[in-house]
Every structure is written in C-alpha cells, then in structure tokens.
Amino acid sequence: MGPIRGYKKRKKTDKRTEENASGSASGSTEKEAPLDWFDEFSKRINGLQSPSKNLNKFEHIFRMSRKTFNYICSLVKEDMAAKSREFTFLNGKVLTLHDLVAVALRRLGSGDSLVTVADFFGVNHSTVSQVTWRFVEAMEERGLHHLKWPSNESEMTEIKSKFEKIRGLPNCCGVIDTTHIMMLLSSSDPASNVWLDHEKNHSMVLQAIVDPDMRFRDIVTGWPGKLEDWVVFQSSNFHKLCEREERLNGKKLQLSEGTEIREYIIGDSGFPLLPYLIVPYEGKELSEPKVEFNKRHSATQIVAQKALARLKEMWRIIQGVMWRPDKHRLPRIILVCCLLHNIIIDMEDEAQDDIPSSHEHDLDYQQQKCESVDIKGVCLRDKLSLYLSGRLPP
C-alpha cells in the first residue's frame, strides 16, 4: 500500500493509498487464551522478569492486557488459522493461534530483529517474518472498523465537547499532525534519493487526524518524507471530502448574536489556513487575543503529538530506523500499528498507563511553514480569537 488514498482491502500493488478507519471494540472477546497456553509460554521465557510491580509478566511482554490480546486473537482467528499448521517451533510443535498472534505482536511491539524475535520464541526467523505478514493482512481485513471518521452526530458532539474541555476551543473536531518513519536504505538503491527528506534522513511520512482520546480518526501514509505537510494533506481524500463539503459539514455553532462558526480541525504552521483547518497566528508582536489563541491552540495540538509519540513507543517497529524495509509493505504495517493503537484505546486497556507520556515523536525535525492562507480561514480564526478572549460582541 503506498500513499494511502482510499484504502482497498489487501492491496498488494505499488499504488498509493490512504486509510480512514477506527471505532470501538464492540462485543465480547472470542474464547480466551487458555491459562496453560501462557504457563507453557512463560516457561520458554522464564528468564524475563517484569521491571514493574504493577505489571505481570504477560503485560510486560506484550504491553497490553490479556483481555485486549484475546480480542485481537478473535479478530484474526479465521485468517490466521487457515494455514497455521505450516508454522512450527524448532522442536516441531505446531504454533497455536495464540502463539501466532504473540509472535506478530512481539515483532511489531519490540522492533527487535527477526532473528532476535525468533530466538525469543524458539522458532525460525522466516517463521517470524511470514507470521507477522499474515497478521498484518488479517488485521487489514478484520480491524479497519477501529479507524474511522465519526459516523453520527452524537459521536461528533462528544468529541467536540472533550476538545472544548481541554482549552476551550469550540466546535473542534480533530487535530492533525505528521511524523516520519525513518528507513536505512541501500546506497545502491536507485530510488533511495526519492525518500531522502529535508533532514537528510530516508523516511516515509504518516499524517494523522486524532480525536481528544488520542484515537486516530484518519490517516495517510506511504508518501516520501521529503514532501511538505501541506502537500500530503492536499493530496489526501480527507481534503477532497472537505472541499466537496462532505466532511466537517455538521452543525454550525452560534458564538453570539449573528456570529457562528463551522466545524473544523486544527494543525500546526506546516498546514495551510483553510475554512476548516485552523493554524496558529504567525508573527512576533501579536495582540493579546492572538497570543491567547495560540496558547490554547498549542495546548490542544499536543493531543496529536502525544498520540504519535505513543504510537511509536508502543509499536517500536516504526520507532527507530528501519533496516531496508519493503517500501510497498511498510504503509500496511504502519496502518496496522495505528489499528492496534486504537484497539488498545477502545478496549480501555489499563496496561498502557505504565507507558511514559511524551509528545516528542519527530526529534531533530524542524517545524515546517506553509504560507497558504484562505480568507475564510482567516475570518474563522479571528472569530475564535475574539470569542476565547471574551471580546466578541454579544
């Protein structure tokens, strides 16, 4: 899957793609992993101790609860079990469904090499590779309902309410941000320069729109990291839907007599100022209302920064520098990491509480600047600024 523009199931071509997907983990989990499965599993990794008294060994290894693990097993059971008997441990024993999911989650979550993960489980490194890819395909097929734009007014109303509680931004529907997935490419690769970004790293960009619970509501990935944020955004299906007034087209909010505002998202100065995308004011000598607006905007923007930092911290396969990844498969791996991120939120998994909270996801990357300004965006931002400073006429 390349730049993700309208996601197609099990897309295996070089064509650029785009993901809109999320939701809630509704319904009960499939039959739970038998206790003796983890008992046997624990014996193989007996030397690994949990560093926290608050985490049992299972949560330390997978950084999720058994409840979430079992739910993920239930999602992929049909696809993973289809040819599971072809995968065995080095001792010849066939991997169960729970073994298969454990291998894939460990590979995605630890970011360790195929050989390291293989040694950890007692399997061949090619088994780790094949199992992980089968898991990625199964999650694409079965987990997309966990990443979607809000489908009804009540859901969007709740999102707006939560955003307003952060720092007062009314009628806000999301926060947009981007991050770079870095790659180490072969110098002999004739296409390597295509992926060389402005910070001299080879990278692939991930653009995400996030709700107040740090859940991904829309993503775009697959584009080279050299592209500016505004270029990626304007190529996205989300932008096209907004331009056709098919997204962010819900209820307008009346701020005062004769003054109303539409739905919008916010982003940093790397994005254009549009009628539905609000960025901070630029300049050194800003008026008090504009300074106050920027403070509130920045405090709300942190939600997306924390979500992307948490994504990389939890799914470390995309955190560091990936060694010669398949650039056609990588967007699909990024998508599945985003799906898993959302599932953990949807399952209200308390095991996540032990992961440090940070908003640093693109260290050493400078803030981009976009000069594109739409007059309707200027008008909306000014209305918000006056409203938040209490200077909007009643």
Side-chain angles (χ1 to χ4, degrees):
M1 167 172 78
I4 299 174
R5 301 178 175 168
Y7 178 71
K8 301 273 168 84
K9 287 182 182 177
R10 299 209 176 186
K11 193 166 206 170
K12 296 184 180 179
T13 66
D14 175 25
K15 194 172 181 181
R16 306 196 182 278
T17 14
E18 171 177 282
E19 281 52 78
N20 293 344
S22 176
S24 58
S26 58
S28 59
T29 63
E30 184 74 25
K31 182 179 179 182
E32 290 193 355
L35 292 177
D36 58 352
W37 170 78
F38 188 68
D39 289 342
E40 184 179 339
F41 175 80
S42 297
K43 291 175 184 176
R44 295 197 297 271
I45 46 134
N46 198 39
L48 183 62
Q49 300 297 322
S50 171
S52 171
K53 295 179 180 179
N54 298 323
L55 287 177
N56 62 34
K57 190 178 290 185
F58 184 95
E59 291 173 336
H60 172 56
I61 295 168
F62 299 109
R63 297 201 288 178
M64 65 178 64
S65 67
R66 292 198 189 207
K67 175 185 173 185
T68 302
F69 180 88
N70 290 329
Y71 173 72
I72 293 170
C73 287
S74 75
L75 278 182
V76 300
K77 178 179 179 180
E78 184 177 336
D79 299 281
M80 295 294 285
K83 297 179 181 179
S84 62
R85 296 194 64 81
E86 66 189 64
F87 300 119
T88 62
F89 292 101
L90 294 178
N91 62 11
K93 184 179 178 181
V94 175
L95 274 71
T96 67
L97 168 66
H98 303 98
D99 292 326
L100 296 170
V101 173
V103 168
L105 290 178
R106 181 69 182 180
R107 168 71 171 141
L108 297 174
S110 69
D112 291 338
S113 69
L114 294 173
V115 171
T116 300
V117 176
D119 290 344
F120 182 81
F121 284 94
V123 297
N124 190 285
H125 76 274
S126 63
T127 297
V128 176
S129 177
Q130 293 175 58
V131 167
T132 302
W133 186 244
R134 178 163 295 172
F135 177 80
V136 167
E137 290 184 315
M139 284 298 299
E140 285 181 302
E141 187 78 18
R142 307 295 178 182
L144 277 177
H145 60 285
H146 282 281
L147 202 167
K148 66 181 180 183
W149 193 251
S151 57
N152 56 64
E153 187 177 321
S154 62
E155 190 178 2
M156 184 60 85
T157 297
E158 183 179 1
I159 286 172
K160 293 176 185 178
S161 175
K162 287 183 177 180
F163 271 126
E164 189 164 8
K165 287 177 181 177
I166 296 174
R167 284 304 299 273
L169 292 181
N171 227 31
C172 178
C173 300
V175 182
I176 188 170
D177 202 355
T178 61
T179 195
H180 292 81
I181 313 301
M182 291 192 287
M183 306 177 287
L184 180 63
L185 302 182
S186 170
S187 57
S188 63
D189 184 347
S192 63
N193 285 341
V194 172
W195 301 93
L196 194 63
D197 62 33
H198 299 296
E199 304 297 336
K200 306 305 180 185
N201 300 315
H202 291 104
S203 70
M204 183 177 288
V205 72
L206 164 63
Q207 173 190 283
I209 300 176
V210 177
D211 73 14
D213 296 315
M214 298 199 297
R215 185 184 288 104
F216 297 118
R217 291 292 185 165
D218 183 281
I219 72 167
V220 176
T221 192
W223 292 106
K226 66 193 287 185
L227 296 182
E228 285 84 358
D229 292 350
W230 67 269
V231 174
V232 176
F233 176 72
Q234 290 190 339
S235 72
S236 70
N237 191 49
F238 185 90
H239 172 258
K240 294 179 177 65
L241 290 172
C242 290
E243 288 293 301
R244 296 199 300 262
E245 298 186 354
E246 295 175 18
R247 184 143 296 175
L248 298 176
N249 59 343
K251 276 188 173 183
K252 292 185 177 181
L253 177 67
Q254 185 167 331
L255 298 180
S256 66
E257 187 69 31
T259 303
E260 62 180 16
I261 57 169
R262 61 169 294 165
E263 292 181 340
Y264 60 92
I265 61 173
I266 68 168
D268 61 33
S269 54
F271 294 94
L273 176 59
L274 297 171
Y276 47 83
L277 201 175
I278 304 303
V279 301
Y281 287 101
E282 292 292 321
K284 295 182 179 179
E285 297 184 8
L286 297 175
S287 64
E288 187 178 329
K290 292 180 179 180
V291 170
E292 178 63 22
F293 174 82
N294 279 0
K295 288 179 180 178
R296 293 172 182 262
H297 184 287
S298 177
T300 310
Q301 179 77 27
I302 286 177
V303 173
Q305 296 169 2
K306 285 185 174 181
L308 290 171
R310 173 63 62 92
L311 174 75
K312 286 184 169 181
E313 175 60 29
M314 180 67 185
W315 306 105
R316 293 180 180 174
I317 193 170
I318 60 173
Q319 183 186 53
V321 181
M322 301 185 72
W323 189 78
R324 299 185 182 182
D326 183 327
K327 294 179 290 295
H328 306 317
R329 286 186 168 189
L330 180 53
R332 301 170 70 179
I333 292 171
I334 295 170
L335 165 64
V336 168
C337 289
C338 291
L339 293 176
L340 292 167
H341 168 98
N342 281 3
I343 286 172
I344 287 170
I345 294 173
D346 292 339
M347 295 295 291
E348 300 179 350
D349 196 327
E350 294 180 359
Q352 290 287 288
D353 296 342
D354 237 57
I355 296 180
S357 178
S358 170
H359 60 274
E360 297 292 345
H361 60 84
D362 252 356
L363 288 172
D364 301 323
Y365 275 81
Q366 296 182 14
Q367 175 62 59
Q368 296 183 20
K369 301 289 183 183
C370 178
E371 304 297 332
S372 180
V373 173
D374 186 295
I375 189 62
K376 291 182 179 178
V378 172
C379 183
L380 173 55
R381 184 172 64 181
D382 287 345
K383 287 179 182 178
L384 286 169
S385 174
L386 292 171
Y387 168 76
L388 292 169
S389 65
R391 301 188 185 193
L392 196 66

